[in-house]
Amino acid sequence: MSDPNQQPGGFGPSPYGPGQPQQPGYGYPASPAQPPQPAYGYPAGGAPAQQPAYGYPAAAAPAQAPASYPPPPSPYAAPGYAAPRPSNGMGTAGLVLGIIGVVCNVIMVLWFVGMILGVLAIIFGAVGRGKANRGEATNKGAATAGLVMGIIATVLLPALILLLFAGAMGAASGI
């Protein structure tokens, strides 16, 4: 159901009457008269029609690049193969377990857990150092630190705790 008085913008009849000019801001803007655009498709005669070019101008054929040498092969891998990534997990695990083991031994309540973590730190640190010596890993320092922290957590701190306990017991007995 369409209204015969409806304006082109679809906003209903004009409040200014049918003969009044359209007020600015209502409906579609009036477009200025433009020359007709050439039609798309095949031209109507036998002569080719000149259509305006749209977009970027056509690129010229690329010039032939001078011949160059191939890139040098990578010194770290065989040609055509990617270099293997270093596996630093063992040395890092040894370092983390060694630090946690030392902290558990210092707390003294968790000395048994600290000793177990110290043993694991020694194992992971030794394996990490072996990988670093073979060139499979790049964190020889972290693996060495894990090995040292594991030894401290397993041997030195429990020995110090034992000496302190024995000294306290000897002092208590009056020797």
Side-chain angles (χ1 to χ4, degrees), residues 156-170:
L156 290 180
L157 282 178
L160 285 175
I161 291 171
L162 182 65
L163 284 175
L164 287 174
F165 183 72
M169 293 303 285

Side-chain angles (χ1 to χ4, degrees), residues 13-48:
S14 172
Y16 305 107
Q20 298 294 326
Q22 182 75 20
Q23 295 294 321
Y26 294 102
Y28 294 111
S31 60
Q34 295 177 351
Q37 297 271 337
Y40 292 102
Y42 292 108

Side-chain angles (χ1 to χ4, degrees), residues 29-111:
S31 60
Q34 295 177 351
Q37 297 271 337
Y40 292 102
Y42 292 108
Q50 292 291 341
Q51 292 187 355
Y54 293 105
Y56 294 105
Q64 195 67 305
S68 63
Y69 295 106
S74 173
Y76 300 109
Y81 295 100
R85 297 181 64 191
S87 59
N88 294 329
M90 290 292 186
T92 305
L95 178 62
V96 169
L97 290 174
I99 292 171
I100 295 173
V102 167
V103 169
C104 287
N105 277 331
V106 168
I107 293 175
M108 287 192 206
V109 175
L110 301 172
W111 65 271

Side-chain angles (χ1 to χ4, degrees), residues 5 115 141 149 162:
N5 293 329
M115 286 183 59
M149 296 297 277
L162 182 65

Side-chain angles (χ1 to χ4, degrees), residues 94-158:
L95 178 62
V96 169
L97 290 174
I99 292 171
I100 295 173
V102 167
V103 169
C104 287
N105 277 331
V106 168
I107 293 175
M108 287 192 206
V109 175
L110 301 172
W111 65 271
F112 186 71
V113 174
M115 286 183 59
I116 292 173
L117 292 178
V119 170
L120 291 174
I122 291 172
I123 293 169
F124 285 132
V127 172
R129 272 186 57 98
K131 281 188 172 192
N133 288 337
R134 288 190 303 269
E136 297 173 8
T138 58
N139 63 343
K140 185 174 182 179
T144 304
L147 185 64
V148 169
M149 296 297 277
I151 291 170
I152 290 171
T154 304
V155 178
L156 290 180
L157 282 178

